[in-house]
Amino acid sequence: MIFTANCALFPIYLFAIWFIVFLVVFLVRIAKNHRLLTQLQTISSTNTNRELELLKNQLMEEYRIRRPIQIQYCALLSTPIISNIVYTIIFLLQTKLSEQYTEFVLCHELIHCRRNDIFYKYLLLFIKSFYWFNPLLFLFARIFHERREISCDKSLLDGHSRKDQFEYAKRIAGFAGYTKPELMAGFYCAHTTERRIAAIATMCSGSRSHRKKTKVFTSATFFLLFVILILMTANCKVLRIALGKWMEIIHITML
């Protein structure tokens, strides 16, 4: 009987281990990114360039972005990034950039804002922490972020000349080797520079409807892959038993 009781409690121990690891991983990552964001805000300076502010407002109107967005300069950054969901901050490099390239950078960041990429990063962080034992989700998250960057590039360069596309690709090549915090979106995503440049190089003059169909197909494919991965993980028998036992204990305790 003792052996039977131990077997019944074993899934509960597994559930406790899973929950503790999930909580620690999620809270540590949130705290780490919050601390880094606070440090960046401390050493950054607010934008005082009126022309850049007018350009930002014009682009926000074009992209129909209503929430407040602030531009700050940070000398220690090697790549532009954005952070925060509600009150968004765009961190730009302190170095002097050409007018056209500055507009490219700002457009890229605002496209991230319009698509709520920071929200999806938080959501994926939660899911990765929740399913910390499933390596396929980590691979999916990396591919997803990479595709978001490439999608932003294509949306930005749509309609521009090959010369502009070449100059843009040459600029982002300079960010190779740099990484950024997990909960921040920006101009560069680690380990994707080559793929982004290759995607820009293969941009063709196909019709807009064809590119739209391709984008919809790609998004649908990644969404279905994500759902399949979740269902595969949710089908874990041990986890289901552990959750059932835990709920049963809670129900008995409340009676």
Side-chain angles (χ1 to χ4, degrees), residues 46-63:
T46 305
N47 171 51
T48 56
N49 187 333
R50 182 164 180 79
E51 293 182 1
L52 183 61
E53 194 68 20
L54 289 174
L55 176 61
K56 182 201 73 175
N57 294 334
Q58 178 184 346
L59 292 172
M60 287 178 62
E61 188 70 25
E62 180 181 341
Y63 292 144

Side-chain angles (χ1 to χ4, degrees), residues 25-213:
V25 170
F26 182 71
L27 293 179
V28 166
R29 288 182 176 179
I30 291 289
K32 180 181 178 181
N33 280 273
H34 176 72
R35 183 176 67 252
L36 183 56
L37 175 60
T38 304
Q39 293 173 348
L40 285 177
Q41 289 180 292
T42 303
I43 63 177
S44 299
S45 58
T46 305
N47 171 51
T48 56
N49 187 333
R50 182 164 180 79
E51 293 182 1
L52 183 61
E53 194 68 20
L54 289 174
L55 176 61
K56 182 201 73 175
N57 294 334
Q58 178 184 346
L59 292 172
M60 287 178 62
E61 188 70 25
E62 180 181 341
Y63 292 144
R64 298 179 182 178
I65 300 174
R66 302 298 177 214
R67 63 179 181 272
I69 296 179
Q70 183 182 13
I71 297 178
Q72 294 189 6
Y73 290 101
C74 184
L76 298 183
L77 285 178
S78 301
T79 173
I81 58 176
I82 64 173
S83 188
N84 287 346
I85 298 177
V86 180
Y87 186 77
T88 306
I89 301 176
I90 299 179
F91 293 97
L92 298 180
L93 282 64
Q94 197 92 43
T95 55
K96 183 71 174 177
L97 300 174
S98 66
E99 183 178 343
Q100 183 185 31
Y101 188 64
T102 301
E103 183 176 350
F104 276 158
V105 171
L106 198 55
C107 285
H108 185 102
E109 307 303 339
L110 289 175
I111 291 173
H112 278 303
C113 295
R114 184 186 63 184
R115 295 179 175 181
N116 298 310
D117 284 350
I118 295 295
F119 168 77
Y120 291 116
K121 280 181 173 286
Y122 274 94
L123 179 61
L124 277 175
L125 173 65
F126 176 83
I127 294 173
K128 286 194 301 181
S129 302
F130 193 88
Y131 294 107
W132 53 266
F133 50 86
N134 188 347
L136 293 178
L137 278 175
F138 289 83
L139 176 61
F140 170 82
R142 193 183 73 177
I143 296 175
F144 177 81
H145 293 319
E146 177 184 295
R147 296 307 304 178
R148 297 296 291 183
E149 291 292 332
I150 293 175
S151 177
C152 282
D153 290 338
K154 290 187 175 182
S155 179
L156 169 63
L157 295 174
D158 187 25
H160 283 270
S161 65
R162 291 299 294 172
K163 180 181 178 181
D164 291 340
Q165 294 173 5
F166 174 76
E167 289 297 326
Y168 180 84
K170 187 169 67 173
R171 286 285 188 173
I172 66 175
F175 296 137
Y178 295 106
T179 58
K180 65 178 184 306
E182 185 172 12
L183 292 180
M184 298 182 185
F187 201 72
Y188 177 74
C189 185
H191 309 300
T192 65
T193 302
E194 291 183 4
R195 294 184 181 90
R196 288 177 64 187
I197 295 175
I200 294 172
T202 56
M203 285 184 66
C204 61
S205 58
S207 65
R208 186 180 296 271
S209 60
H210 174 74
R211 289 195 297 269
K212 187 175 181 180
K213 289 179 181 178

Side-chain angles (χ1 to χ4, degrees), residues 2-13:
I2 295 177
F3 176 77
T4 305
N6 289 336
C7 289
L9 290 175
F10 180 69
I12 299 177
Y13 296 148

